[in-house]
Amino acid sequence: KVESIFSANGFDLAPEGPGQIGTKFEVGGREIEVQEVATRSSKVGDYEPSEDSQLITVQVKVTNLFGKPIGVSWNSFEPKLLSEDGEELDWRSDFISMGSGKTIGQEVAGGESVRGLLVFGGPKGITPNRLKLKETSTGRVVILPIASIVAK
């Protein structure tokens, strides 16, 4: 059973809640797990870093908790990746498949999962320290501190 980060003892607490990378949370009938944050030195989907920029990916697994199919795509989320200085990194408005490198836009059956990458761009050397992940069907926001970043 996944605990709600937005309520306690059956009472709704707030539209925002704290999360942790690697810890599952439920929002809008979806179990969401932010699995990893990584800097990328090579192409991700249709995106390539330039000489003075880097790509930063956030690996997300989404599991359908409903008994019927739900849609999962890039517009299921409104993520904000913020640096130590509060600067917002540029989200590419995409959710890339881990396998094909193509944009995810699909129905996910009840109990099934899909895993993909949210892609951000920023200047080389910028260090993200928190992710605000808004689930668009409910408007709920999870704030996740970023303790470590993997280089790929």
Side-chain angles (χ1 to χ4, degrees):
K1 183 176 188 279
V2 178
E3 296 294 322
S4 174
I5 59 174
F6 302 105
S7 62
N9 301 322
F11 293 102
D12 197 19
L13 296 177
E16 291 188 354
Q20 294 292 321
I21 292 177
T23 301
K24 298 171 186 174
F25 55 90
E26 184 274 328
V27 60
R30 294 169 169 92
E31 177 185 271
I32 299 173
E33 180 184 7
V34 175
Q35 298 179 319
E36 175 184 86
V37 177
T39 57
R40 304 279 179 153
S41 57
S42 60
K43 188 174 180 178
V44 177
D46 292 333
Y47 309 101
E48 278 188 82
S50 67
E51 285 185 30
D52 58 346
S53 70
Q54 64 182 346
L55 294 178
I56 300 168
T57 58
V58 177
Q59 182 175 306
V60 180
K61 180 180 178 183
V62 180
T63 303
N64 179 358
L65 298 178
F66 287 123
K68 61 181 182 178
I70 61 169
V72 176
S73 68
W74 67 271
N75 62 359
S76 298
F77 308 101
E78 289 178 15
K80 290 183 180 181
L81 191 60
L82 303 164
S83 75
E84 297 168 319
D85 300 321
E87 180 179 349
E88 187 176 331
L89 281 73
D90 180 35
W91 178 43
R92 304 296 194 221
S93 298
D94 216 340
F95 188 42
I96 304 291
S97 166
M98 298 287 294
S100 69
K102 297 188 184 302
T103 297
I104 293 173
Q106 67 187 58
E107 293 270 308
V108 177
E112 296 294 315
S113 301
V114 65
R115 196 165 48 112
L117 299 171
L118 299 169
V119 182
F120 297 84
K124 279 191 176 170
I126 196 165
T127 304
N129 77 340
R130 68 189 177 284
L131 172 70
K132 290 185 174 186
L133 187 63
K134 179 179 181 180
E135 197 277 334
T136 56
S137 72
T138 63
R140 300 274 188 171
V141 177
V142 180
I143 302 170
L144 302 103
I146 299 170
S148 64
I149 301 171
V150 177
K152 293 196 174 194

